[in-house]
Structure formats: structure tokens, C-alpha cells
Amino acid sequence: MATRRAFLGTALALALDAWPAAAAGTRLVLDPLRPGVYVARAANAEAMRANAGAVVPCLVHVTRAGVLVVDPGPQAAWGRALLGAIRALTRQPVRWVVNSHAHPENVLANAAFAGLRPRPRFLASAATAALMRQRCTDCLARLAALLGHAAMRGTAIVLPEPALQHGAWLQTGDTAWQVQVHAPAHSASDTVLYAPQLRLLCAGGLAYRERVPEMQEASLQGWRRALRQLIALPADTVVATATGTPAQTLVPTLAYLDALAQGIGAALAAGRDATQAADAVVAEPFRHWRHFPTRHPLNLQRAWGQLEDAWMQGGPLA
């Protein structure tokens, strides 16, 4: 235990200057979580020009059989910087690149790894792979408009294999990752990797840390079910839209979504309408979270619409 604490306490910063002009002066840093496991430091914010879309804390796992990368990032420049940081760690080849869900800031840096030899396997659930095929062209155009075309220079679409199935295991060297696919939840399909021997959970977009969750494509009830299952797992560390313990990420995200469901469900049962949504939900514990003023009202509208449909059909709201 003392050795592990000493390792975690080291100030390892593997940085490169390869970075898009939109984020000049920003450096890619890999923080160690435990021996062989690192996470790329990212902004706990929405994608914007100021952060060049670098809002996903990519997981890097170095094994004797090769390197696993989960959610490589938003564009080729970030991916190249990430690859350079990996090369500073190890000469092992990148063998696996996993896309947890089909959001552009998670997957468009696939392009930086596509030319490697040997070529890594790009992996996703069948639903995520299908969604990327359907909409990555549009997502690339929208992200370029948001971040600027200079930031997205050299970024091309690289589609994954639809190879990850719920309940299967992904073996990376000596580490076995249980695959969970939650569909729908935060998005139409969210893939989770869980390593019991590392007590490590890679939860993609399912967990936030002091930031209001994004419900644009979410199923409120599906997301809540997924989080309950993840909270039951014996894990010490969660890598998602931010990194932390389950108590810092999974639990508060579920508390926020529960507040939406419980408040709106009670309001519907009392005969109130959508104009009273803000009054129905106890939001005080979450007002200090990032993006509360802009995102919470939108979440109220989406959650109300979903729960109203379920209520009218006689379905459960809890």
C-alpha cells in the first residue's frame, strides 16, 4: 500500500507541444492512476475554441501485450499529442482503441492512430459503430464550425468494428475488462469497461463531476438504471467526463437525475404542467455545478417530455 501511495504521489507529467493553434500554450498531460494506467488531463467543461474540444479524459492502459486507449479525443492533433505522450511511456504498440459512445469529442481522434503499424483494433458496440457511420460526417462538420477548421486539420473519420458486446470480456495483456453496453442511457449506446482486478471503471459519458449532465440525447430512465448498476460495482476510480471516485462522479450524477425524475413525477401526479417544471425539482444542491444556468432548464424540458409520455402510457416513473 505504501508503494502504491508513493507511486500515486509522484508528479508525473508527460507533455508535448503538438497542439492546435486554438489551444496554444496548452500541454497534454498524462496523470498516473496506478502502475500502467494513466488518464489524459482534460477540461471539465463543454467543447469550445478555448479548450480545442479537449474535454474527454482519455484512458491509457500500458500492458505487456500493448496499449489500450479509450476515447482518444476530438481531433487528429490531440490524438497525435496523445500518441507522443504514450511513446514517452512505452514502445509497446497501441493495440486497442475503444470508442465508448458516438460523440465527436470522444471519437474523432481515431484518425491519429489509423496509420500505425501494426494497425490497432478500433472497437465499439454495434449501436455506437452504426451511429458513427450514420452521423460522423455531420459531427465532424459541426465540431469544425465550433472549434475552427485549423483545430480540426487532418482529422478524418475512422470507424470502429462493432465488436463489443454486453457481458463479454476484453483481454488486454493480464487485464480483463468486463464490457457493459447501456442502451439507451446518456446516449443511444454507452459502453463501459470495468476491470475488477484494478477496481477501475471507465464509464464514458455516464458520469459527471460538479457539472450538469448533458441530456440532449439521453434517456432519463435508462441513464438512472445504468448508474445504479455501476454504483453497485466494487470500484475505487471512475474515468468518465471527469475522473474521481464513485462518490465524486457516479453518485452525484445519479442524485441529479433522480431529483429530476422524482420532482417531475410528483408534479405530474399532482396534475401540474410543464410550465411548473422548475418549481417541481429540488435543484439547490446542484446550483454551483458548471453550466447550471444554461443546461438545467433544457434538462427540465427534456426530462418532463420523457416522463410525461411514460406517465400517459401508465409506465413507471421511479
Side-chain angles (χ1 to χ4, degrees):
M1 182 63 73
T3 302
R4 182 182 175 193
R5 281 197 297 267
F7 174 83
L8 292 174
T10 59
L12 174 61
L14 299 163
L16 298 182
D17 292 325
W19 192 251
T26 304
R27 294 161 66 87
L28 193 157
V29 178
L30 286 179
D31 291 324
L33 297 181
R34 51 183 46 81
V37 182
Y38 305 84
V39 65
R41 195 178 299 173
N44 186 16
E46 302 306 303
M48 60 187 73
R49 290 200 179 206
N51 56 39
V55 297
V56 176
C58 167
L59 180 80
V60 173
H61 180 34
V62 179
T63 81
R64 291 181 295 179
V67 179
L68 166 70
V69 174
V70 182
D71 287 338
Q75 18 88 341
W78 165 265
R80 288 192 296 271
L82 177 62
L83 182 58
I86 293 169
R87 286 287 171 263
L89 283 171
T90 179
R91 301 311 298 176
Q92 287 285 359
V94 176
R95 296 284 190 187
W96 310 272
V97 177
V98 170
N99 296 145
S100 70
H101 60 290
H103 285 178
E105 61 268 27
N106 294 72
V107 306
L108 289 178
N110 283 2
F113 298 84
L116 297 178
R117 294 293 179 270
R119 181 185 169 95
R121 291 187 68 191
F122 295 88
L123 303 171
S125 72
T128 292
L131 284 167
M132 289 176 64
R133 185 175 299 277
Q134 292 167 15
R135 67 190 194 187
C136 263
T137 300
D138 291 339
C139 289
L140 176 57
R142 285 197 299 270
L143 201 60
L146 176 66
L147 303 182
H149 291 279
M152 302 301 291
R153 186 176 295 117
T155 302
I157 297 165
V158 176
L159 298 174
E161 304 172 42
L164 298 181
Q165 298 180 359
H166 185 78
W169 291 83
L170 175 64
Q171 193 75 35
T172 58
D174 295 330
T175 304
W177 299 84
Q178 183 191 52
V179 178
Q180 295 186 14
V181 180
H182 298 275
H186 159 71
S187 70
S189 178
D190 292 276
T191 298
V192 170
L193 297 182
Y194 170 57
Q197 64 273 50
L198 300 177
R199 297 178 65 89
L200 176 63
L201 184 64
C202 195
L206 287 167
Y208 285 66
R209 182 170 178 176
E210 295 193 339
R211 179 156 60 105
V212 175
E214 168 60 73
M215 284 192 59
Q216 183 172 354
E217 300 178 356
S219 162
L220 176 61
Q221 303 297 62
W223 196 345
R224 294 169 70 211
R225 284 192 296 270
L227 286 171
R228 290 191 195 107
Q229 293 178 36
L230 299 185
I231 288 169
L233 296 173
D236 297 326
T237 306
V238 178
V239 178
T241 62
T243 303
T245 66
Q248 293 169 325
T249 55
L250 301 174
V251 173
T253 303
L254 179 58
Y256 174 81
L257 298 177
D258 279 348
L260 289 178
Q262 292 161 7
I264 293 172
L268 287 168
R272 301 170 76 180
D273 62 33
T275 63
Q276 300 165 304
D279 296 330
V281 174
V282 177
E284 195 59 39
F286 316 106
R287 290 187 184 277
H288 67 286
W289 286 7
R290 293 175 181 87
H291 311 301
F292 181 90
T294 54
R295 180 168 288 176
H296 179 65
L298 296 175
N299 288 347
L300 283 172
Q301 295 175 19
R302 293 174 182 129
W304 188 284
Q306 291 179 21
L307 294 181
E308 186 174 42
D309 288 345
W311 180 75
M312 293 180 67
Q313 296 169 17
L317 301 185

